[in-house]
Amino acid sequence: MGDVISLASGTAPAGDAGAAPAEDVDAFAARTAREPFWLDAVAIPETFREALGVAVAEARRELEPGHPAEIVDALVTLADRHRLDLLDRRALELDAEVMAAWPRDLWMRAYREIWERWAWRRMPTVGDFRGPLGDAIERRRRRYDLLTTLQARLRSRAGPGSLPECIAALERAGPGVRQTWFKAAMRRDPGLTPADR
């Protein structure tokens, strides 16, 4: 039938939204990506939502891209230092554009690795720079996607909690939605009239 979740106080199940250290947030995001029913099966405390917001901001910072102009300058310096024939300007700019989409700190790590170990008599390609990074770029992108997906799912499940939030939601809704809601309210409360709208 599936996993049984203990709702009694005590130890939280693995991947549960508990005290919410960063690794718990990541584990819960991965788990709910595979099994979204967990979002409805466990209570999500406010501390977890706050930790999730911090984790999303951190994941966004970790994906901050580089600057193509900075990368072009670094490639020119590398070519001068190793006495390599420089690519034509357009190819250099295209390489820089591709590498600028990577997180800046990972680009710097790859550049340092190439700077220290490059022994070929040709200019390194984008693939040569990507090699030392392994799957680090994809892991960061995947983490960001999981966290933002979890954040969006929690936001969509959280309906208005107070009367002012309900009123604000109704004001944002179109007139057809408001009319439908009011008719439903009239069915539940016979004392309401169209004048109460």
Side-chain angles (χ1 to χ4, degrees):
M1 176 142 191
D3 293 330
V4 176
I5 301 168
S6 170
L7 298 179
S9 61
T11 59
D16 193 3
E23 53 274 1
D24 287 351
V25 172
D26 288 328
F28 193 69
R31 177 175 225 170
T32 56
R34 291 186 314 271
E35 303 164 333
F37 66 85
W38 280 97
L39 291 172
D40 298 321
V42 296
I44 310 291
E46 190 58 37
T47 55
F48 182 85
R49 292 175 191 273
E50 292 167 5
L52 177 59
V54 170
V56 167
E58 174 191 316
R60 187 176 293 121
R61 274 192 311 274
E62 286 180 349
L63 285 175
E64 206 165 289
H67 305 287
E70 176 185 35
I71 293 171
V72 168
D73 291 343
L75 293 176
V76 169
T77 303
L78 179 73
D80 288 346
R81 174 68 178 94
H82 291 277
R83 298 184 183 179
L84 303 172
D85 292 333
L86 202 55
L87 303 170
D88 69 75
R89 188 74 180 173
R90 185 64 188 141
L92 200 61
E93 289 171 355
L94 287 173
D95 282 356
E97 204 171 300
V98 169
M99 290 185 280
W102 302 347
R104 187 172 186 276
D105 67 311
L106 292 181
W107 147 250
M108 294 301 290
R109 184 193 316 167
Y111 183 76
R112 182 182 175 121
E113 182 90 14
I114 293 289
W115 183 273
E116 290 176 358
R117 299 180 182 199
W118 192 251
W120 297 92
R121 298 304 307 151
R122 65 169 177 79
M123 193 66 184
T125 63
V126 172
D128 295 321
F129 282 98
R130 178 87 184 225
L133 302 180
D135 295 328
I137 297 170
E138 295 312 315
R139 279 193 305 272
R140 287 189 186 186
R141 288 178 181 159
R142 175 77 177 142
R143 178 178 185 241
Y144 179 74
D145 290 345
L146 287 172
L147 292 172
T148 54
T149 298
L150 175 58
Q151 192 175 48
R153 285 178 171 168
L154 289 177
R155 194 178 306 122
S156 71
R157 279 173 166 71
S162 65
L163 183 59
E165 289 175 358
C166 288
I167 292 170
L170 279 172
E171 288 173 351
R172 286 191 304 271
V177 172
R178 286 194 295 270
Q179 182 68 23
T180 303
W181 284 17
F182 185 72
K183 285 181 180 177
M186 283 178 57
R187 284 192 298 274
R188 287 195 182 105
D189 184 358
L192 290 176
T193 65
D196 295 322
R197 187 175 346 172

